[in-house]
């Protein structure tokens, strides 16, 4: 009797996730315009035609990556709200996400490419879903939700620059002033 075979092949879902994670890394580094499907394939350890077979095009891969990042933020907010449905708890949850620099940076690349007619609707929907989730989960009014997202965008930009988050550079006075005493 032969020994049981160990599973060495990934399922289609696992391979899809592997490619999304590779795309997250690649698009974080090069943005939409500066990234190729060949780079994503190399990071994932697959062939470039396989990437195209699964996603159809670089644009569709980028859109899937942005959707994945936005869904991750929304899911993290929902998990936090299940424990305590306040803006503060969602803010703490977002602070945790700042550690995932690739996640926040790919969202910024998506927002920056938002003028593209194919990318814009997707990133606007992504941002809108997060805004509506914040309102739904916390009961926050428009002004409070707007302020919450404005601070989140500031933290996203600062996190992408290495100014906020767990791996922040040593603070300069303007950084401390901008972030306030609670965020450093």
């Amino acid at each position: 009797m032969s020994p049981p075979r160990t599973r060495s092949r990934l399922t289609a879902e696992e391979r899809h996730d592997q490619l999304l994670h590779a795309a997250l890394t690649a698009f974080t580094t090069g943005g939409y315009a500066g990234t190729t499907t060949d780079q994503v394939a190399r990071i994932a350890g697959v062939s470039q035609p396989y990437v195209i077979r699964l996603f159809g095009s670089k644009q569709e891969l980028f859109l899937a990556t942005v959707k994945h990042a936005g869904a991750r933020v929304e899911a993290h907010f929902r998990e936090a709200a299940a424990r305590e449905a306040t803006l503060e708890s969602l803010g703490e949850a977002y602070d945790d996400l700042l550690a995932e620099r690739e996640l926040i940076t790919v969202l910024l690349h998506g927002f920056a490419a938002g003028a593209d007619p194919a990318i814009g609707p997707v990133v606007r929907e992504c941002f809108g879903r997060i805004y509506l989730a914040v309102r739904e989960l916390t009961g926050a009014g428009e002004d409070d939700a707007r302020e919450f997202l404005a601070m989140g965008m500031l933290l996203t930009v600062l996190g992408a620059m290495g100014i906020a988050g767990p791996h922040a550079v040593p603070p300069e006075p303007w950084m401390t002033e901008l972030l306030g005493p609670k965020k450093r």
Side-chain angles (χ1 to χ4, degrees):
M1 186 171 182
S2 60
R5 289 182 55 180
T6 59
R7 194 180 104 198
S8 60
R9 295 186 58 116
L10 298 176
T11 67
E13 184 177 332
E14 290 169 333
R15 182 67 74 187
H16 186 268
D17 289 347
Q18 176 192 26
L19 286 172
L20 279 179
H21 286 97
L24 195 64
T25 299
F27 286 124
T28 292
T29 303
Y32 176 61
T35 300
T36 66
T37 54
D38 187 57
Q39 290 169 318
V40 174
R42 274 187 271 132
I43 292 169
V46 300
S47 69
Q48 187 270 349
Y50 185 75
V51 174
I52 296 301
R53 187 172 55 152
L54 279 185
F55 290 94
S57 67
K58 177 177 94 166
Q59 185 177 72
E60 288 302 316
L61 176 60
F62 181 71
L63 293 174
T65 305
V66 169
K67 288 176 187 177
H68 167 77
R72 177 92 171 87
V73 172
E74 184 179 348
H76 210 64
F77 282 175
R78 291 189 181 283
E79 291 168 13
R83 293 186 297 275
E84 182 184 9
T86 64
L87 288 173
E88 291 77 22
S89 67
L90 270 60
E92 290 170 9
Y94 196 71
D95 285 346
D96 293 343
L97 286 175
L98 288 173
E100 298 180 36
R101 188 175 182 283
E102 289 179 339
L103 185 80
I104 63 170
T105 303
V106 86
L107 283 173
L108 286 176
H109 283 298
F111 300 148
D116 181 290
I119 296 171
V122 173
V123 296
R124 286 189 291 275
E125 179 187 357
C126 171
F127 197 80
R129 286 178 57 91
I130 292 169
Y131 169 75
L132 293 173
V134 168
R135 298 236 12 234
E136 169 203 334
L137 295 169
T138 65
E142 294 172 13
D143 289 341
D144 289 338
R146 186 179 308 111
E147 185 177 318
F148 177 82
L149 288 179
M151 178 55 82
M153 285 304 297
L154 174 64
L155 292 173
T156 299
V157 169
L158 295 177
M161 291 190 296
I163 294 172
H167 306 292
V169 298
E172 295 179 33
W174 70 266
M175 296 173 190
T176 303
E177 182 179 305
L178 181 61
L179 286 169
K182 292 178 15 180
K183 293 294 178 190
R184 230 11 192 154

